[in-house]
Amino acid sequence: MLTAHVGVGEPTSPPRPAGRPPGRRLHRPTLWTALGLLGALLVCVLLSLLIGTGNSPVARAWDFLLGEPSARADAQLRLAVVDVRLPRTVAAVLVGASLGVAGCLLQAATRNPLAETGLLGVNSGAALGVVVGLTYLGVKSPYGVLVCALLGGMTASAVVLLLAASGRAAGSPLKLVLAGSALGATFHGMTSYVLLGTRSTFDVYRYWTIGSLAGVETSDTYPLLPLIALGLLIAYGSSRPLAALALGDDSARALGHHPGRVRLVVAVAVTLLAGCAVALAGPIAFLGLLAPYVARAVTGPRIEGQLTLSGLVGACVMIAADILARVVIRPWETPVSVLLAFIGGPLLIWIARSRRFSTAGGAA
């Protein structure tokens, strides 16, 4: 009879726990955090439908949502809830989620926790598109401004991608950032040149560039839904290559991935998401930086979890800021970008100084 000989001091493999596949484990903090954020988002959506800039009582809006006959018959109340608050609530969720996911993608692709969507030239391209549309194409409607912003942002990002994909170091993170920064500065100069000679254009552009969801209509969001859905689909489809890219370019190649192509695909997703967000709300700062930091503090290196939590954090912060924008100086309204900058700046400094959050941010 043959017997196995185990020498003294030789390590033996511990028995594998039954009922769990090898190499896989549930990350419960991510799941519970996602559920908590989803609950917070639902609460924010409800508050967004109940609270407005006017003097309409919250109780009446609550009766309207519950279907109370007298409240449903109130035309003024229906206008406030259905035609004003509902579209901007949907827009806030879409803008916040898009910027959160876009920021997470860009930081993971460049392995730079300070990367944000403006690096691809989306903001500067959208601004130039708005100015050109107002000055030379005779655009006057809010929907026309939205289309010009979207086309301008996507055109700028396309040029950045072409520049980053050419030459020897095609698709490298440094080349992507340099191309975006250079083109962004060029477009900013062109925008300033056009604005200097056209006062009427400057008045409309000034309103768009402050960043606000006031005046957003349902017809503004419908055309952007397929583009946002496509951007999210590409984002989650890129999670496995991004996880390999986090190990370094050489390791990613050894695992069968092409780092340059991965970054270009990610840049396309970032362009779609950030372009739609900028077109709807104008340039919004800090959100693309803040959401991925919070997500990484919970999930660690798990890309799928980072994307999910970044989208939820971005949506929650955006809709909460939009609610505050309606009530801070009521009956007037504060631009949501101003509130995000006022709150997001100190919050980002606190996160950078926090050991837990800064360590998670640097792990991307």
Side-chain angles (χ1 to χ4, degrees):
M1 182 175 67
L2 298 177
T3 58
H5 175 72
V6 179
V8 178
E10 292 182 8
T12 58
S13 299
R16 183 174 293 153
R20 185 175 295 178
R24 293 183 63 88
R25 59 176 180 169
L26 297 176
H27 192 242
R28 291 186 179 180
T30 301
L31 176 61
W32 288 115
T33 304
L35 292 176
L37 287 172
L38 186 58
L41 179 60
L42 293 177
V43 172
C44 288
V45 167
L46 179 60
L47 291 176
S48 180
L49 295 176
L50 295 176
I51 300 173
T53 55
N55 296 322
S56 177
V58 173
R60 290 290 292 166
W62 177 254
D63 292 338
F64 180 88
L65 295 179
L66 293 180
E68 201 272 327
S70 63
R72 290 281 181 167
D74 190 337
Q76 189 73 20
L77 186 60
R78 174 179 292 274
L79 176 67
V81 175
V82 177
D83 296 335
V84 177
R85 299 176 193 171
L86 181 59
R88 70 184 295 171
T89 299
V90 174
V93 173
L94 293 177
V95 169
S98 297
L99 290 177
V101 173
C104 181
L105 282 175
L106 196 56
Q107 291 177 19
T110 60
R111 296 196 293 273
N112 180 3
L114 294 179
E116 52 94 21
T117 54
L119 289 179
L120 287 183
V122 176
N123 294 348
S124 57
L128 182 60
V130 169
V131 169
V132 170
L134 293 172
T135 305
Y136 301 111
L137 303 181
V139 174
K140 296 182 179 179
S141 66
Y143 183 76
V145 173
L146 183 147
V147 172
C148 289
L150 181 63
L151 293 177
M154 290 187 171
T155 301
S157 293
V159 175
V160 171
L161 293 181
L162 289 175
L163 292 175
S166 62
R168 282 184 165 182
S172 69
L174 179 60
K175 193 170 185 180
L176 193 66
V177 170
L178 289 177
S181 299
L183 195 68
T186 302
F187 282 178
H188 180 72
M190 295 170 64
T191 300
S192 300
Y193 173 78
V194 176
L195 287 175
L196 287 176
T198 51
R199 181 175 179 179
S200 59
T201 298
F202 178 75
D203 292 337
V204 179
Y205 171 78
R206 180 179 56 185
Y207 175 78
W208 173 82
T209 196
I210 60 175
S212 175
L213 291 171
V216 173
E217 299 178 357
T218 305
S219 58
D220 296 334
T221 59
Y222 282 153
L224 302 180
L225 288 178
L227 298 178
I228 294 176
L230 179 59
L232 293 175
L233 186 64
I234 296 175
Y236 280 94
S238 305
S239 58
R240 186 181 294 271
L242 281 175
L245 206 62
L247 303 175
D249 288 7
D250 292 337
S251 299
R253 291 189 187 95
L255 293 173
H257 300 287
H258 193 291
R261 293 174 186 172
V262 172
R263 290 190 178 97
L264 292 178
V265 170
V266 166
V268 171
V270 172
T271 298
L272 291 172
L273 295 171
C276 292
V278 172
L280 272 176
I284 301 293
F286 290 109
L287 205 51
L289 285 173
L290 177 64
Y293 261 86
V294 177
R296 280 194 298 270
V298 177
T299 66
R302 299 168 181 84
I303 298 297
E304 296 91 343
Q306 288 181 24
L307 292 173
T308 301
L309 293 192
S310 294
L312 289 173
V313 170
C316 288
V317 172
M318 186 67 189
I319 196 169
D322 186 50
I323 295 172
L324 287 176
R326 308 174 200 177
V327 300
V328 170
I329 54 173
R330 185 184 283 181
W332 295 278
E333 186 169 333
T334 306
V336 68
S337 63
V338 174
L339 280 178
L340 283 174
F342 184 75
I343 299 172
L347 186 60
L348 197 60
I349 294 174
W350 175 78
I351 286 176
R353 291 177 60 87
S354 172
R355 178 173 300 179
R356 179 188 176 191
F357 281 86
S358 61
T359 302

